[in-house]
mmCIF file of all heavy atoms in Angstrom:
data_model
loop_
_atom_site.group_PDB
_atom_site.id
_atom_site.type_symbol
_atom_site.label_atom_id
_atom_site.label_comp_id
_atom_site.label_asym_id
_atom_site.label_seq_id
_atom_site.Cartn_x
_atom_site.Cartn_y
_atom_site.Cartn_z
ATOM 1 N N PRO A 59 67.277 -1.414 -1.124
ATOM 2 C CA PRO A 59 68.191 -1.152 -2.241
ATOM 3 C C PRO A 59 67.483 -1.025 -3.577
ATOM 4 O O PRO A 59 68.076 -0.604 -4.562
ATOM 5 C CB PRO A 59 69.123 -2.364 -2.222
ATOM 6 C CG PRO A 59 68.293 -3.464 -1.636
ATOM 7 C CD PRO A 59 67.415 -2.790 -0.619
ATOM 8 N N ASP A 60 66.191 -1.382 -3.646
ATOM 9 C CA ASP A 60 65.445 -1.362 -4.900
ATOM 10 C C ASP A 60 64.682 -0.060 -5.124
ATOM 11 O O ASP A 60 64.165 0.177 -6.212
ATOM 12 C CB ASP A 60 64.457 -2.522 -4.944
ATOM 13 C CG ASP A 60 65.148 -3.866 -4.778
ATOM 14 O OD1 ASP A 60 66.244 -4.035 -5.344
ATOM 15 O OD2 ASP A 60 64.594 -4.724 -4.065
ATOM 16 N N ILE A 61 64.591 0.781 -4.107
ATOM 17 C CA ILE A 61 63.830 2.023 -4.208
ATOM 18 C C ILE A 61 64.761 3.174 -4.577
ATOM 19 O O ILE A 61 65.831 3.334 -3.997
ATOM 20 C CB ILE A 61 63.089 2.307 -2.892
ATOM 21 C CG1 ILE A 61 62.001 1.251 -2.684
ATOM 22 C CG2 ILE A 61 62.495 3.707 -2.875
ATOM 23 C CD1 ILE A 61 61.256 1.385 -1.389
ATOM 24 N N LYS A 62 64.349 3.978 -5.574
ATOM 25 C CA LYS A 62 65.151 5.090 -6.059
ATOM 26 C C LYS A 62 64.535 6.422 -5.624
ATOM 27 O O LYS A 62 63.328 6.518 -5.376
ATOM 28 C CB LYS A 62 65.253 5.066 -7.587
ATOM 29 C CG LYS A 62 65.717 3.734 -8.168
ATOM 30 C CD LYS A 62 67.108 3.353 -7.692
ATOM 31 C CE LYS A 62 67.568 2.044 -8.325
ATOM 32 N NZ LYS A 62 68.890 1.600 -7.793
ATOM 33 N N VAL A 63 65.372 7.448 -5.560
ATOM 34 C CA VAL A 63 64.888 8.806 -5.318
ATOM 35 C C VAL A 63 64.533 9.430 -6.655
ATOM 36 O O VAL A 63 65.376 9.512 -7.558
ATOM 37 C CB VAL A 63 65.947 9.645 -4.590
ATOM 38 C CG1 VAL A 63 65.445 11.074 -4.385
ATOM 39 C CG2 VAL A 63 66.299 9.009 -3.242
ATOM 40 N N VAL A 64 63.283 9.871 -6.807
ATOM 41 C CA VAL A 64 62.802 10.468 -8.060
ATOM 42 C C VAL A 64 63.115 11.957 -8.102
ATOM 43 O O VAL A 64 63.547 12.493 -9.125
ATOM 44 C CB VAL A 64 61.296 10.231 -8.216
ATOM 45 C CG1 VAL A 64 60.760 10.926 -9.461
ATOM 46 C CG2 VAL A 64 60.992 8.737 -8.259
ATOM 47 N N SER A 65 62.918 12.643 -6.984
ATOM 48 C CA SER A 65 63.179 14.080 -6.915
ATOM 49 C C SER A 65 63.256 14.504 -5.458
ATOM 50 O O SER A 65 62.836 13.772 -4.554
ATOM 51 C CB SER A 65 62.094 14.875 -7.648
ATOM 52 O OG SER A 65 60.837 14.702 -7.002
ATOM 53 N N VAL A 66 63.784 15.711 -5.253
ATOM 54 C CA VAL A 66 63.832 16.335 -3.932
ATOM 55 C C VAL A 66 63.230 17.725 -4.071
ATOM 56 O O VAL A 66 63.550 18.466 -5.010
ATOM 57 C CB VAL A 66 65.274 16.426 -3.401
ATOM 58 C CG1 VAL A 66 65.307 17.193 -2.080
ATOM 59 C CG2 VAL A 66 65.867 15.030 -3.215
ATOM 60 N N THR A 67 62.345 18.097 -3.158
ATOM 61 C CA THR A 67 61.703 19.413 -3.182
ATOM 62 C C THR A 67 61.735 20.017 -1.784
ATOM 63 O O THR A 67 62.050 19.330 -0.798
ATOM 64 C CB THR A 67 60.250 19.324 -3.681
ATOM 65 O OG1 THR A 67 59.520 18.421 -2.812
ATOM 66 C CG2 THR A 67 60.181 18.794 -5.099
ATOM 67 N N ASP A 68 61.401 21.314 -1.700
ATOM 68 C CA ASP A 68 61.278 21.956 -0.390
ATOM 69 C C ASP A 68 60.160 22.988 -0.438
ATOM 70 O O ASP A 68 59.409 23.062 -1.424
ATOM 71 C CB ASP A 68 62.624 22.558 0.062
ATOM 72 C CG ASP A 68 63.100 23.707 -0.830
ATOM 73 O OD1 ASP A 68 62.279 24.319 -1.543
ATOM 74 O OD2 ASP A 68 64.314 24.004 -0.819
ATOM 75 N N ASN A 69 60.043 23.782 0.606
ATOM 76 C CA ASN A 69 58.969 24.779 0.685
ATOM 77 C C ASN A 69 59.549 26.168 0.900
ATOM 78 O O ASN A 69 59.087 26.927 1.750
ATOM 79 C CB ASN A 69 57.982 24.420 1.802
ATOM 80 C CG ASN A 69 58.637 24.430 3.184
ATOM 81 O OD1 ASN A 69 59.866 24.373 3.303
ATOM 82 N ND2 ASN A 69 57.827 24.490 4.229
ATOM 83 N N ALA A 70 60.580 26.527 0.148
ATOM 84 C CA ALA A 70 61.191 27.848 0.262
ATOM 85 C C ALA A 70 60.137 28.940 0.089
ATOM 86 O O ALA A 70 59.155 28.771 -0.635
ATOM 87 C CB ALA A 70 62.305 28.012 -0.767
ATOM 88 N N THR A 71 60.358 30.053 0.754
ATOM 89 C CA THR A 71 59.366 31.123 0.793
ATOM 90 C C THR A 71 58.975 31.627 -0.592
ATOM 91 O O THR A 71 57.793 31.858 -0.879
ATOM 92 C CB THR A 71 59.904 32.297 1.629
ATOM 93 O OG1 THR A 71 60.261 31.819 2.935
ATOM 94 C CG2 THR A 71 58.849 33.388 1.773
ATOM 95 N N ALA A 72 59.952 31.790 -1.482
ATOM 96 C CA ALA A 72 59.688 32.333 -2.812
ATOM 97 C C ALA A 72 59.422 31.248 -3.851
ATOM 98 O O ALA A 72 59.502 31.491 -5.053
ATOM 99 C CB ALA A 72 60.855 33.202 -3.260
ATOM 100 N N GLY A 73 59.096 30.037 -3.400
ATOM 101 C CA GLY A 73 58.849 28.916 -4.305
ATOM 102 C C GLY A 73 59.895 27.842 -4.143
ATOM 103 O O GLY A 73 61.012 28.109 -3.715
ATOM 104 N N ASP A 74 59.511 26.622 -4.483
ATOM 105 C CA ASP A 74 60.411 25.481 -4.281
ATOM 106 C C ASP A 74 61.750 25.703 -4.979
ATOM 107 O O ASP A 74 61.826 26.225 -6.094
ATOM 108 C CB ASP A 74 59.792 24.204 -4.859
ATOM 109 C CG ASP A 74 58.547 23.763 -4.106
ATOM 110 O OD1 ASP A 74 58.206 24.420 -3.099
ATOM 111 O OD2 ASP A 74 57.924 22.777 -4.519
ATOM 112 N N ASN A 75 62.822 25.267 -4.308
ATOM 113 C CA ASN A 75 64.143 25.262 -4.922
ATOM 114 C C ASN A 75 64.274 24.084 -5.884
ATOM 115 O O ASN A 75 63.513 23.110 -5.812
ATOM 116 C CB ASN A 75 65.229 25.154 -3.845
ATOM 117 C CG ASN A 75 65.474 26.471 -3.139
ATOM 118 O OD1 ASN A 75 65.817 27.470 -3.766
ATOM 119 N ND2 ASN A 75 65.290 26.481 -1.824
ATOM 120 N N THR A 76 65.243 24.167 -6.776
ATOM 121 C CA THR A 76 65.526 23.086 -7.713
ATOM 122 C C THR A 76 66.715 22.277 -7.220
ATOM 123 O O THR A 76 67.787 22.834 -6.974
ATOM 124 C CB THR A 76 65.843 23.643 -9.117
ATOM 125 O OG1 THR A 76 64.706 24.366 -9.603
ATOM 126 C CG2 THR A 76 66.184 22.527 -10.086
ATOM 127 N N TYR A 77 66.510 20.975 -7.057
ATOM 128 C CA TYR A 77 67.569 20.080 -6.586
ATOM 129 C C TYR A 77 68.033 19.179 -7.723
ATOM 130 O O TYR A 77 67.226 18.678 -8.500
ATOM 131 C CB TYR A 77 67.063 19.225 -5.423
ATOM 132 C CG TYR A 77 66.863 20.010 -4.148
ATOM 133 C CD1 TYR A 77 65.697 20.753 -3.945
ATOM 134 C CD2 TYR A 77 67.838 20.019 -3.157
ATOM 135 C CE1 TYR A 77 65.520 21.493 -2.790
ATOM 136 C CE2 TYR A 77 67.663 20.754 -1.990
ATOM 137 C CZ TYR A 77 66.507 21.493 -1.820
ATOM 138 O OH TYR A 77 66.336 22.236 -0.678
ATOM 139 N N LYS A 78 69.350 18.987 -7.811
ATOM 140 C CA LYS A 78 69.949 18.142 -8.839
ATOM 141 C C LYS A 78 70.574 16.911 -8.190
ATOM 142 O O LYS A 78 71.134 16.991 -7.092
ATOM 143 C CB LYS A 78 71.032 18.913 -9.594
ATOM 144 C CG LYS A 78 70.569 20.229 -10.201
ATOM 145 C CD LYS A 78 71.762 20.988 -10.776
ATOM 146 C CE LYS A 78 71.372 22.379 -11.261
ATOM 147 N NZ LYS A 78 72.562 23.136 -11.758
ATOM 148 N N GLN A 79 70.506 15.797 -8.891
ATOM 149 C CA GLN A 79 71.143 14.570 -8.423
ATOM 150 C C GLN A 79 72.611 14.584 -8.835
ATOM 151 O O GLN A 79 72.956 15.005 -9.932
ATOM 152 C CB GLN A 79 70.443 13.362 -9.024
ATOM 153 C CG GLN A 79 70.950 12.023 -8.524
ATOM 154 C CD GLN A 79 70.204 10.871 -9.172
ATOM 155 O OE1 GLN A 79 69.773 10.965 -10.322
ATOM 156 N NE2 GLN A 79 70.047 9.787 -8.451
ATOM 157 N N VAL A 80 73.487 14.137 -7.937
ATOM 158 C CA VAL A 80 74.907 14.021 -8.260
ATOM 159 C C VAL A 80 75.126 12.745 -9.061
ATOM 160 O O VAL A 80 74.932 11.642 -8.546
ATOM 161 C CB VAL A 80 75.770 14.000 -6.988
ATOM 162 C CG1 VAL A 80 77.242 13.799 -7.342
ATOM 163 C CG2 VAL A 80 75.594 15.294 -6.192
ATOM 164 N N ASP A 81 75.506 12.890 -10.320
ATOM 165 C CA ASP A 81 75.760 11.727 -11.161
ATOM 166 C C ASP A 81 76.897 10.886 -10.576
ATOM 167 O O ASP A 81 77.915 11.411 -10.142
ATOM 168 C CB ASP A 81 76.160 12.165 -12.579
ATOM 169 C CG ASP A 81 75.000 12.758 -13.360
ATOM 170 O OD1 ASP A 81 73.843 12.481 -12.990
ATOM 171 O OD2 ASP A 81 75.258 13.502 -14.326
ATOM 172 N N GLY A 82 76.689 9.570 -10.565
ATOM 173 C CA GLY A 82 77.725 8.651 -10.122
ATOM 174 C C GLY A 82 77.818 8.437 -8.635
ATOM 175 O O GLY A 82 78.643 7.641 -8.170
ATOM 176 N N ALA A 83 76.981 9.121 -7.835
ATOM 177 C CA ALA A 83 77.096 9.008 -6.376
ATOM 178 C C ALA A 83 76.184 7.949 -5.765
ATOM 179 O O ALA A 83 76.415 7.526 -4.628
ATOM 180 C CB ALA A 83 76.799 10.361 -5.727
ATOM 181 N N ALA A 84 75.142 7.517 -6.471
ATOM 182 C CA ALA A 84 74.188 6.569 -5.878
ATOM 183 C C ALA A 84 74.861 5.237 -5.567
ATOM 184 O O ALA A 84 75.621 4.702 -6.369
ATOM 185 C CB ALA A 84 73.021 6.350 -6.829
ATOM 186 N N SER A 85 74.587 4.703 -4.382
ATOM 187 C CA SER A 85 75.153 3.421 -3.955
ATOM 188 C C SER A 85 74.094 2.617 -3.223
ATOM 189 O O SER A 85 73.034 3.144 -2.866
ATOM 190 C CB SER A 85 76.362 3.640 -3.038
ATOM 191 O OG SER A 85 75.972 4.252 -1.823
ATOM 192 N N SER A 86 74.372 1.337 -2.991
ATOM 193 C CA SER A 86 73.435 0.503 -2.251
ATOM 194 C C SER A 86 74.173 -0.668 -1.618
ATOM 195 O O SER A 86 75.299 -0.994 -1.984
ATOM 196 C CB SER A 86 72.314 -0.017 -3.163
ATOM 197 O OG SER A 86 72.840 -0.847 -4.182
ATOM 198 N N SER A 87 73.502 -1.280 -0.653
ATOM 199 C CA SER A 87 74.038 -2.458 0.025
ATOM 200 C C SER A 87 72.907 -3.442 0.238
ATOM 201 O O SER A 87 71.959 -3.156 0.980
ATOM 202 C CB SER A 87 74.668 -2.070 1.370
ATOM 203 O OG SER A 87 75.001 -3.222 2.120
#
Side-chain angles (χ1 to χ4, degrees):
D60 303 320
I61 293 177
K62 308 299 182 184
V63 178
V64 176
S65 64
V66 175
T67 58
D68 65 21
N69 63 342
T71 304
D74 293 357
N75 282 301
T76 299
Y77 289 82
K78 305 173 186 177
Q79 185 180 32
V80 177
D81 289 339
S85 66
S86 63
S87 171

